[in-house]
Amino acid sequence: MTMPTRFKLIAATLAVAALATACGGGGDDPALAGDSSGDAVARYIGTWESDCYSDSGASAKVRADFTKTSPTSFTGNVIAYGYIGTSCSGPSVKDKKILTNMSMNHDGTKEIAGVTADKFAGASDQGNGKVVLYAAGDVLQIGDPDAAKDAEGYPEAFLESKYTVKRKQ
């Protein structure tokens, strides 16, 4: 599978500060429930949000909703919400669908930065690709799409810690 530039956004758009220019919709939808099973995808199921980022008087945050479809796969959408002002407060004034109709399949594990991360191969309306994820409690680390890749095409490093997302309760 190739990884078009748009699919790399699964990592970058979940947390990159440049999202302040991203973009009507409401980020106030109820959070999806998590999954308490021991399945390979359980720790990733639910709703995740980035911290609010500001830039040039505007602000944005990214929301990812993941729903389990089997013990080894999940579906979901990643949407960026834009706000007037620098605090992501009030209703969002614009939304941008980053990854829609996303379908991810667990493809094993690999060691990165001293932890055992999960490898996922998947597709969305925007393209196909591979990503590495690691969830510890309510924090999700994402493989850096610009990092060196292993022989299978998975990132060898995580995005900087400031680009992690947190589980929405």
Side-chain angles (χ1 to χ4, degrees):
M1 257 190 303
T2 62
M3 187 184 314
T5 302
R6 284 187 186 186
F7 197 86
K8 287 182 180 181
L9 291 174
I10 188 163
T13 57
L14 286 174
V16 174
L19 290 173
T21 59
C23 346
D28 298 327
D29 295 332
L32 294 178
D35 182 342
S36 60
S37 74
D39 296 336
V41 300
R43 70 181 75 189
Y44 305 106
I45 303 309
T47 298
W48 301 87
E49 278 189 350
S50 69
D51 287 334
C52 179
Y53 296 96
S54 62
D55 182 29
S56 302
S59 58
K61 62 183 171 182
V62 175
R63 177 183 168 130
D65 291 309
F66 301 143
T67 303
K68 184 166 112 177
T69 54
S70 81
T72 59
S73 64
F74 64 88
T75 60
N77 294 293
V78 178
I79 301 173
Y81 295 95
Y83 300 84
I84 295 174
T86 59
S87 64
C88 293
S89 61
S92 64
V93 294
K94 193 169 187 185
D95 68 53
K96 180 175 181 164
K97 294 177 173 125
I98 305 300
L99 294 171
T100 53
N101 297 312
M102 184 175 62
S103 177
M104 303 299 285
N105 296 301
H106 190 261
D107 195 25
T109 61
K110 69 176 285 162
E111 295 295 317
I112 297 180
V115 300
T116 302
D118 291 293
K119 301 184 300 185
F120 289 92
S124 73
D125 289 345
Q126 291 75 22
N128 300 329
K130 295 181 177 184
V131 68
V132 177
L133 301 174
Y134 176 72
D138 290 337
V139 177
L140 176 62
Q141 289 182 282
I142 302 145
D144 185 344
D146 295 325
K149 307 288 188 282
D150 64 16
E152 296 177 319
Y154 289 96
E156 292 281 4
F158 290 115
L159 287 167
E160 294 177 51
S161 61
K162 68 180 180 179
Y163 298 135
T164 58
V165 291
K166 298 175 181 99
R167 185 177 301 279
K168 183 174 178 178
Q169 302 295 328

